[in-house]
Amino acid sequence: RRIMSLPLCSSSVPSAQPLIMEGGASSSSSTSNSRPQIIYALITRGSSLVLAEYTGMQGAFQQAAIQVLNKMDTVDDFKSYVYGDGLTFHCLMQPALGLCFVCMADKNMGRRLPFGFLDALREQFSQLYAPPQVHSAVQGGMQLEFGHEMQVLVEKFNSPNADRVHSLMNKVKDVNDKVVESIDKLLLRQDKIDILVDRTQLLSESSNSFRREAERVRRVVWWRNLRVLMC
C-alpha cells in the first residue's frame, strides 16, 4: 500500500471551489471543525467509464477523480493519493473486471475507515452485479439502482460510531483469538496430562509386575536353600 502525491494545479482541487453540503454548511467547515468524513464515492470500469457515484456535497469531484485515475498505475490493489490541501483519494482495484472503487476523504481520516468503506462497497457491488452485467454496463448504467446503496454506506462509515464499532470488533476478535489460544493451550496441557497419566499407570503396572516377579524369585531361592539344608 502506498500514499502518493499528485502534482496537480491548485485550481483543479475540489476544496478550492465553493463546495456546499446539502445541509447548507460549507465543506471547509466540515473538514476543519468536525470529524473527518468520506466526501465522495465513485465506481468506474477502466479509468473513465463511471458506473455509479455519490456525494452529499457540490463540486467537481468526478472530474478530479478521473484525473487521479488517469494518472495512477494499476500495479497495486490498494492505493492512496494526496490531492490538494487536506484531501486524499483512496482507490481499491478489481483488475479481473477492470473495476475501480474510489472515495475521496479528509486526509485526517487516515486509511483504515476509507478502505473499510471501499471493501464493503466492492462486496455489496459484487453481490448485486455479475461479470456480464459489469462488462455490458454503459456510462451511469448503475446509478439509479446502486446510488442509494452507496449513500447508505457513506453515511454508515461517516457515522461517529463507525470507528468505535470497528475498534470494538477488533477488540472482540482479539479476545476471541486469545480465548482460542487459551483453549488450544488448555487442550495441549490436557494432552500432556493424559500422556503423563498413561505413563504413570504403565510405570505402576511395571512396578507391580516387578514386585510379583521379585517375590516369586525370593520363594524359589528360599525353597532351593531349604532343600539344600535338608539334604
Side-chain angles (χ1 to χ4, degrees):
R1 298 184 181 181
R2 299 178 297 172
I3 298 180
M4 303 179 65
S5 179
L6 295 179
L8 302 177
C9 60
S10 60
S11 61
S12 65
V13 178
S15 61
Q17 302 176 9
L19 304 178
I20 306 298
M21 296 179 65
E22 290 179 346
S26 67
S27 63
S28 60
S29 64
S30 170
T31 56
S32 60
N33 297 330
S34 62
R35 288 188 321 103
Q37 297 186 53
I38 296 172
I39 299 169
Y40 176 67
L42 173 74
I43 303 173
T44 71
R45 193 182 71 220
S47 61
S48 58
L49 183 66
V50 177
L51 301 178
E53 63 181 338
Y54 170 75
T55 181
M57 303 171 66
Q58 296 178 358
F61 300 118
Q62 185 182 124
Q63 179 183 358
I66 297 301
Q67 286 186 13
V68 171
L69 291 174
N70 284 329
K71 289 178 178 291
M72 62 185 279
D73 56 48
T74 57
V75 176
D76 299 325
D77 290 339
F78 299 87
K79 304 181 188 67
S80 294
Y81 295 89
V82 175
Y83 188 92
D85 297 328
L87 297 174
T88 304
F89 274 99
H90 304 279
C91 306
L92 176 60
M93 317 299 293
Q94 192 170 349
L97 295 176
L99 291 173
C100 302
F101 298 86
V102 183
C103 73
M104 183 177 73
D106 295 321
K107 184 178 178 181
N108 293 335
M109 195 174 196
R111 305 182 75 207
R112 181 161 52 88
L113 276 178
F115 276 113
F117 162 76
L118 290 177
D119 189 56
L121 184 65
R122 176 177 62 176
E123 182 177 351
Q124 196 157 336
F125 185 87
S126 299
Q127 289 175 355
L128 287 177
Y129 301 107
Q133 292 174 285
V134 174
H135 290 309
S136 62
V138 297
Q139 180 81 10
M142 295 162 179
Q143 181 64 39
L144 184 62
E145 183 179 22
F146 200 69
H148 177 68
E149 303 297 331
M150 297 179 73
Q151 177 181 355
V152 171
L153 278 177
V154 168
E155 291 174 352
K156 175 184 176 181
F157 278 82
N158 280 342
S159 166
N161 294 323
D163 205 31
R164 296 176 190 173
V165 171
H166 193 279
S167 176
L168 181 60
M169 289 178 64
N170 283 338
K171 289 181 180 179
V172 170
K173 182 179 181 299
D174 184 55
V175 170
N176 287 338
D177 289 341
K178 288 182 178 179
V179 169
V180 171
E181 181 182 357
S182 298
I183 291 176
D184 288 341
K185 288 183 178 179
L186 181 61
L187 292 175
L188 180 61
R189 179 172 173 269
Q190 184 62 44
D191 288 341
K192 290 181 178 180
I193 291 175
D194 291 341
I195 292 173
L196 183 60
V197 169
D198 291 341
R199 289 181 177 177
T200 301
Q201 185 176 356
L202 181 61
L203 182 61
S204 177
E205 292 174 355
S206 299
S207 176
N208 291 333
S209 176
F210 177 79
R211 186 167 58 252
R212 286 193 299 269
E213 182 67 17
E215 181 65 21
R216 187 188 67 80
V217 171
R218 187 186 67 81
R219 288 176 181 177
V220 169
V221 171
W222 185 82
W223 279 108
R224 184 178 298 169
N225 291 338
L226 181 61
R227 289 194 195 99
V228 170
L229 291 175
M230 290 177 65
C231 294

